[in-house]
Structures are given as C-alpha cells and as structure tokens.
Amino acid sequence: MRRDTFLRTMAALAAAGALPLTARAAANVKMMIPANPGGGWDTTGRALGKALIDSKVADSVNYENKGGAAGALGLAQFVNGSKGDPNAMMVMGAVMLGGIITGKPPVSLSAATPIARLTSEYNVFVLPANSPLKTMADVVAQLKKDPGSVKWGGGSRGSTEHIAAAMIAREVGVDPAKINYVAFRGGGEATAAILGGNVTVGGSGYSEFAEYINTGKMKAIGVTSGARLKGVNVPTLKEQGINVEIGNWRGVYGAPGITDAQRKALTDMVLAALKTKSWTEALEKNNWTPAVLSGAAFEKFVDDDFASLRATMVKSGMV
C-alpha cells in the first residue's frame, strides 16, 4: 500500500472511531460548561479536561461557560451548535434534570448523546458565620414560625439543594410551596450571597463550601447523605430527625447526531481520563464519590432518575 493511501485509510478509521485510542491522533475537545465559573459543573469540567490531556487522548480542551436556567441555556447552545461534532462534550447532572422538570425548556436533553456518569456528591447546608441561627433546629423553628422569613440560597430552580429545601419543609410540616428559595446562576454568586449574609441558609455540594467551612466563614449545619461524609464532622439531616436524603451526580454528554462509533470513541476517551492521577486527586480534593457508569446503563439511569426526581418534586409541591 502506498504511504499516502495508508495515511488516508488511517485517518478515515480514526475519524470513524474504529482505531484504539493509542492509534488515533489526540483530539481537540470543546467542553461546554452550562453554568457560570466557580460551581460544581465548572470544577468538574475543568478537572475532566485536565485528565483528558494527562491521559493523552486530547491535545487541547477549550472551555465555554454558559450559565442560566439550571443549564438549559448551555444545553440549547450545545445542541444547536455542535451537531455531529465527535469532539464536543457537555457537563451535566441531576441539577439539569431538575431544571428541565421545572422550566420545561424548548430543547430536550434527549437531543444530545449520553456518554458517562462521573461522580456523585451530597449537599451541605450552611449558615453565614454571623447568623443569629446556629443549628438546623433553629432554621426549622424559624421556618415553622414564618416560612417566608427563611431565605434559602443555592443553585438554579430544580437543583438538588432546592429539592432538598422543599423536602425539609415537607418533613417538618411546612407547606413546601411557601419556602423562599433564591436561585443563583453559579456557585460563585451563591457563595458571595452567603458570605454577605444576604440569605438565611445556603446549600451546595460540600466541595464548593469546604474552604469557607474550614476557615469558619460558614457554619455547616447538615448534609443530605445517608451517613456522615468521610472526614467531615457535620451531622446528616437524618441524624437530626429530618428524613431527607438526596445526592447530586454529575456526568457528561456528547453532541447530537454523532455515530455509534464516535460515541464509543468519546466514551473510551472519558474512561481513559478517569484513570489518571489528576482525576484521582480531583476526587480527593473535592470530596467527590466515583460513580462511573457508561453506555446503555448510563442512558437508562438518566431516564430512571428523571422519573424519580419528578415524583419527588411533585410530592414536595415544586411542580
């Protein structure tokens, strides 16, 4: 076979995803992060990008942040702007499902291509350091006295912290429809509001608040896990008599219209990245729990979780 014919053949096979990772040229990945900088999706997307480069399956990763509407704005831009692109990825997760349920955006998540679930993380509720309230019991007492006076701050409507706040209200005998929830476009905005005392109680993934909890700028009053988080001395809601447990998983999708071979190639790239030292370090640093799921199993998980979240939100009066 002539050299130029061989090279064209190799290039065609690589484009189709028919070659092993080691035989393909490394990709130039475009990473859509459907949130503002500073939050969990942003941290996840950039950690994954670094791991893709470290595993040598990507030469470069270009990031684009597009926050708003629980990721729906970024989803719409991703779906409309990346069709057929085998190197495009979008970070997503439980928050996006909740946002779709409450917001009913015109662009469906089903238009994009499921690739893999990456991590799971539980939420923590915190008080500003100078808050007159000191415990979750204090928050509940105030909530029962005047639901509207407790201003809950967190991610977009339909986020796991929003759902958890509604579940807490329901469990303590308060109409969930009466909770005063303030949605922020990104983790940075929510953090600033909590540090400034502009909300009564804040909620987010533990990793986003850890440094402020450790330095005493925020007081952690409860986590949404079934058991205490490893190395974290914060009581669960269940320990405090509030029967609420909810996790926040994060994953990645590919562009609409990619072939099955391209989907497999993208999945293989992500799975290779998850084996790197930098990804392991990101898990430890951010207190993320590995929750890797790919292929048809991930696709089924998303469908099942969507149905489960919707049922929970209906029961909590959110939809």
Side-chain angles (χ1 to χ4, degrees):
M1 183 183 293
R2 289 175 52 188
R3 184 175 182 275
D4 57 345
T5 304
F6 172 77
L7 290 175
R8 283 198 299 271
T9 302
M10 290 290 284
L13 288 170
L19 289 175
L21 286 173
T22 53
R24 271 182 254 145
N28 295 308
V29 172
K30 289 177 277 187
M31 183 82 70
M32 164 58 72
I33 300 173
N36 289 350
W41 282 349
D42 187 61
T43 306
T44 300
R46 292 175 192 277
L48 177 61
K50 184 177 188 307
L52 287 166
I53 292 172
D54 287 353
S55 64
K56 302 190 187 314
V57 296
D59 271 339
S60 66
V61 180
N62 295 313
Y63 306 95
E64 182 170 5
N65 289 82
K66 180 69 175 179
L73 298 185
L75 170 64
Q77 184 169 313
F78 181 74
V79 166
N80 293 328
S82 66
K83 187 172 182 179
D85 186 342
N87 294 324
M89 297 186 192
M90 178 188 70
V91 181
M92 50 74 68
V95 171
M96 183 173 283
L97 303 192
I100 289 171
I101 292 167
T102 58
K104 302 178 179 64
V107 176
S108 171
L109 179 62
S110 61
T113 305
I115 298 299
R117 186 181 67 187
L118 307 177
T119 64
S120 181
E121 183 179 27
Y122 289 100
N123 291 109
V124 61
F125 284 106
V126 299
L127 299 170
N130 61 353
S131 172
L133 306 177
K134 303 300 179 187
T135 64
M136 181 58 77
D138 293 342
V139 172
V140 168
Q142 184 63 32
L143 189 66
K144 289 180 176 180
K145 181 180 178 181
D146 181 4
S149 69
V150 178
K151 190 182 292 186
W152 303 80
S156 305
R157 281 185 54 81
S159 64
T160 49
E161 56 266 31
H162 185 192
I163 297 170
M167 292 171 72
I168 290 169
R170 186 192 71 210
E171 288 296 318
V172 302
V174 174
D175 182 355
K178 293 183 177 178
I179 66 169
N180 181 3
Y181 186 82
V182 181
F184 294 95
R185 288 168 61 91
E189 291 181 10
T191 297
I194 297 162
L195 294 174
N198 297 318
V199 296
T200 310
V201 55
S204 190
Y206 187 86
S207 64
E208 294 181 44
F209 291 161
E211 67 174 290
Y212 304 103
I213 294 169
N214 294 336
T215 57
K217 294 179 180 178
M218 296 179 183
K219 179 174 176 55
I221 58 173
V223 291
T224 63
S225 51
R228 290 200 182 197
L229 301 178
K230 182 179 178 182
V232 176
N233 187 28
V234 180
T236 67
L237 295 174
K238 286 187 170 183
E239 278 182 65
Q240 301 176 72
I242 304 170
N243 188 28
V244 169
E245 178 180 347
I246 184 170
N248 181 20
W249 61 268
R250 299 189 181 107
V252 64
Y253 265 52
I258 59 175
T259 67
D260 289 344
Q262 289 169 337
R263 178 181 180 180
K264 183 182 184 305
L266 200 58
T267 303
D268 289 346
M269 286 172 59
V270 170
L271 296 180
L274 302 187
K275 296 176 182 177
T276 61
K277 180 180 178 182
S278 67
W279 182 255
T280 299
E281 289 172 346
L283 292 175
E284 294 174 355
K285 177 183 177 182
N286 295 293
N287 206 20
W288 294 335
T289 300
V292 181
L293 198 63
S294 62
F298 175 53
E299 194 165 356
K300 182 179 185 302
F301 167 79
V302 173
D303 289 342
D304 291 347
D305 197 53
F306 187 89
S308 176
L309 274 175
R310 181 173 176 78
T312 297
M313 293 166 78
V314 168
K315 188 176 180 181
S316 298
M318 294 178 64
V319 292

